[in-house]
Amino acid sequence: MALELYWGSGSPFAWRVMLMLELKGLAYQSTLLEFSKGDHKAARFLKLNPRGKVPVLKDDDFVLNESLAIMAYLDKKYAEPPMFGTSPQEAGLIWRAMMETEAYLLNFGDKVIRPVFFGKGLDETEKIQEAAEAVRQELKRIDRELSGSTWLVGKQISAADISLFPLVQTVLRAAGKDAAKPLKLELLPLADSFPNVSTWVKRIEALPGYERTYPPHWR
Amino acid sequence: MALELYWGSGSPFAWRVMLMLELKGLAYQSTLLEFSKGDHKAARFLKLNPRGKVPVLKDDDFVLNESLAIMAYLDKKYAEPPMFGTSPQEAGLIWRAMMETEAYLLNFGDKVIRPVFFGKGLDETEKIQEAAEAVRQELKRIDRELSGSTWLVGKQISAADISLFPLVQTVLRAAGKDAAKPLKLELLPLADSFPNVSTWVKRIEALPGYERTYPPHWR
């Protein structure tokens, strides 16, 4: 029985797992849920994840949700190439980067992304700009870290890069929307504001298998 | 050189790491920061963690922040007893539990804890009650999971139990405060509302070394 991934187009969390699967060279069966049709709230899917959220991975009878947990599972089961480092220090730094992504970039990014994508609260410009400033601070920090290194932690691509990348892409996509124009988010063009992040994004986009992970409705 | 932990009394995040250190049987040097004196914003500490947050672990020259990252580091460096399971499935389920704790119990719990402890936004009772309802839903789910098992995942205590426990204790402490009385949080007494969670709390409180981790200013 193959690995089976339940995902949705444009979910940064599902995107993480797709990148992981590509980098591990794992074949998988893909089940695309249509959020607009409510596939993720259908009884069949709620049996796999009562929270009705993607991604969900099925590996034979084993079912798992939460993107970072799925990444940890895949790395432990399919060891090569290691995506959580090899030493305790690397593992610690990778998990720190992932936890800081969740605590800061995801948290603040969400307050920019949601209004722009869904049009709710777009008039609360002050709130959005405050969140955008926090996002810029995080990207500035990451840009500094990437100034002397190819990847976020260590000499190889790791789960730290993979869990950050789809969020960066999603924030940038939001920043490029017409609805974002009046908000002055100061995130684009990326190459001007955060040159090292920009190079790092291109590096990931050039990875074999990347194209297969790109959200179909973004094309 | 010993392990050195920078922590603050009542920080559930620092408490996680202290429990981890006790369960691993690791001796450590303890540096208690006084939040009220701004120790965590002092230059000396900001060098260790520019975010000015506890916990921070120092292991010789290696410095790490973010509680869950520290737990992952300690488990990889000091393998016994394993706190992230032994199989890929256990590791996945443990990380899932930890990520759900962050995404749900921490997130909603924070909206109850902060107003009660710091008195800010205490008049927004509707918001607090909404968050309390979400906390109750999470505790109900956990109570169901604990109905047939001693620990959250597998047959041993794991990082899943340790990362949840201090948050549960903190929410319960908030619920017991005078300021919380008019809010009708319906969280206490724990043994009535969530009997299996209550037994699980007592089980952790009975662990060797537990007393050394208890927040001093809570006594």
Side-chain angles (χ1 to χ4, degrees), chain B residues 172-186:
Chain B
L172 296 179
R173 185 172 165 86
K177 291 267 180 193
D178 283 344
K181 298 271 152 69
L183 294 169
K184 292 180 194 156
L185 300 177
E186 292 172 39

Side-chain angles (χ1 to χ4, degrees), chain B residues 87-115:
Chain B
S87 67
Q89 285 77 3
E90 273 181 6
L93 293 174
I94 289 166
W95 277 109
R96 175 174 73 181
M98 292 168 76
M99 292 302 119
E100 293 200 326
T101 291
E102 300 307 278
Y104 304 103
L105 199 75
L106 171 56
N107 190 15
F108 300 126
D110 214 42
K111 296 186 176 105
V112 175
I113 293 165
R114 280 185 186 274

Side-chain angles (χ1 to χ4, degrees), chain A residues 31-52:
Chain A
T31 304
L32 173 61
L33 304 187
E34 306 260 3
F35 297 136
S36 58
K37 291 186 187 156
D39 289 353
H40 55 310
K41 303 296 175 192
R44 197 171 157 267
F45 183 67
L46 292 177
K47 257 189 222 169
L48 298 177
N49 181 7
R51 298 195 191 266

Side-chain angles (χ1 to χ4, degrees), chain A residues 59 62 64 69-79, chain B residues 84-95 153:
Chain A
D59 189 356
F62 183 65
L64 195 62
I70 296 173
M71 289 166 75
Y73 166 75
L74 286 172
D75 196 64
K76 192 136 177 145
K77 178 145 182 197
Y78 308 97
Chain B
F84 285 85
T86 47
S87 67
Q89 285 77 3
E90 273 181 6
L93 293 174
I94 289 166
W95 277 109
V153 180

Side-chain angles (χ1 to χ4, degrees), chain A residues 51 53 62-66 68-69 72-73 76-77 85-89 91-93 95-96 99-100 104 138 141, chain B residues 51 53 62-66 68-69 72-73 76-77 85-89 91-93 95-96 99-100 104 138 141:
Chain A
R51 298 195 191 266
K53 297 194 172 184
F62 183 65
V63 178
L64 195 62
N65 61 298
E66 286 294 325
L68 304 188
Y73 166 75
K76 192 136 177 145
K77 178 145 182 197
T86 47
S87 67
Q89 285 79 1
L93 293 174
W95 276 110
R96 175 175 73 182
M99 291 304 118
E100 293 200 326
Y104 305 103
E138 287 303 307
R141 177 184 63 77
Chain B
R51 299 196 192 265
K53 297 194 172 182
F62 184 67
V63 178
L64 194 62
N65 62 298
E66 287 292 328
L68 304 188
Y73 166 75
K76 193 135 177 146
K77 178 145 182 199
T86 47
S87 67
Q89 285 77 3
L93 293 174
W95 277 109
R96 175 174 73 181
M99 292 302 119
E100 293 200 326
Y104 304 103
E138 287 302 308
R141 178 184 62 77

